[in-house]
Amino acid sequence: MKKLLGSFYGKLSLGFLILLIGLGVAQVAITYNSSMQFVRQADQKLNLDLAKNMANEFEPLLQDTFAVDQIKHSIHDMMVVNPRVEIYILDSGGKILAYFVNPPHTVKRDSVPLGPVRDFVTGSYSNLILGEDPRNPGIEKPFSAAEVSI
């Protein structure tokens, strides 16, 4: 083995092996990142109008009082169809007024930055827009949002 690594061809082969392994690792990283980006874009496009449709359904329930129990009943049906759905009702400052997630009691933040939410609602984005996840501070994920007038 010492004789092989001592020769020029051995060193050259070792260099190419290291280069090949490095390129393989880079390829895996690039493929993983691009596939995750694709999944996030597909997730956001699939749920693009979800918040708007839900806002139309919940707006009458929010007009008179903030009836969380009535909203919870409607949301339960949606979460049976898609258990990954997380619903947050925010005030105009980004404070979380109510949330519906599975499992409950896993929200770690009491507010979210509204910049991405405003961009989504106004449609001032071109491709994918990510917002901070209240369950995992520091992690961004795709979302759907709609404004409700009460």
Side-chain angles (χ1 to χ4, degrees):
M1 186 69 158
K2 240 181 187 182
K3 187 176 181 183
L4 180 65
L5 291 178
S7 71
F8 171 73
Y9 293 113
K11 289 178 185 176
L12 186 64
S13 297
L14 182 62
F16 278 130
L17 179 64
I18 291 170
L19 181 64
L20 186 63
I21 290 171
L23 289 174
V25 168
Q27 177 65 36
V28 168
I30 291 169
T31 302
Y32 175 77
N33 286 336
S34 63
S35 66
M36 289 307 296
Q37 183 78 358
F38 176 78
V39 167
R40 288 175 152 187
Q41 285 177 338
D43 191 28
Q44 192 165 56
K45 284 183 182 181
L46 282 171
N47 296 315
L48 194 63
D49 294 327
L50 179 65
K52 203 179 299 182
N53 296 336
M54 290 172 52
N56 290 335
E57 186 176 328
F58 298 144
E59 200 162 11
L61 300 174
L62 296 171
Q63 290 299 326
D64 300 329
T65 61
F66 190 69
V68 175
D69 291 332
Q70 290 177 342
I71 295 170
K72 194 177 210 176
H73 178 69
S74 297
I75 289 175
H76 175 72
D77 296 337
M78 290 179 204
M79 291 182 86
V80 167
V81 173
N82 186 354
R84 289 184 37 214
V85 171
E86 299 176 12
I87 300 163
Y88 301 92
I89 299 175
L90 310 174
D91 68 4
S92 60
K95 183 177 183 221
I96 298 173
L97 301 175
Y99 60 88
F100 307 93
V101 297
N102 193 13
H105 310 297
T106 58
V107 175
K108 297 177 182 166
R109 293 184 51 107
D110 60 352
S111 66
V112 294
L114 285 181
V117 175
R118 285 189 184 113
D119 290 345
F120 186 90
V121 170
T122 60
S124 59
Y125 62 94
S126 59
N127 207 355
L128 173 67
I129 187 163
L130 302 173
E132 189 167 338
D133 183 7
R135 291 171 47 156
N136 301 303
I139 298 196
E140 294 185 327
K141 58 192 239 184
F143 64 93
S144 176
E147 188 172 4
V148 176
S149 301
I150 53 173

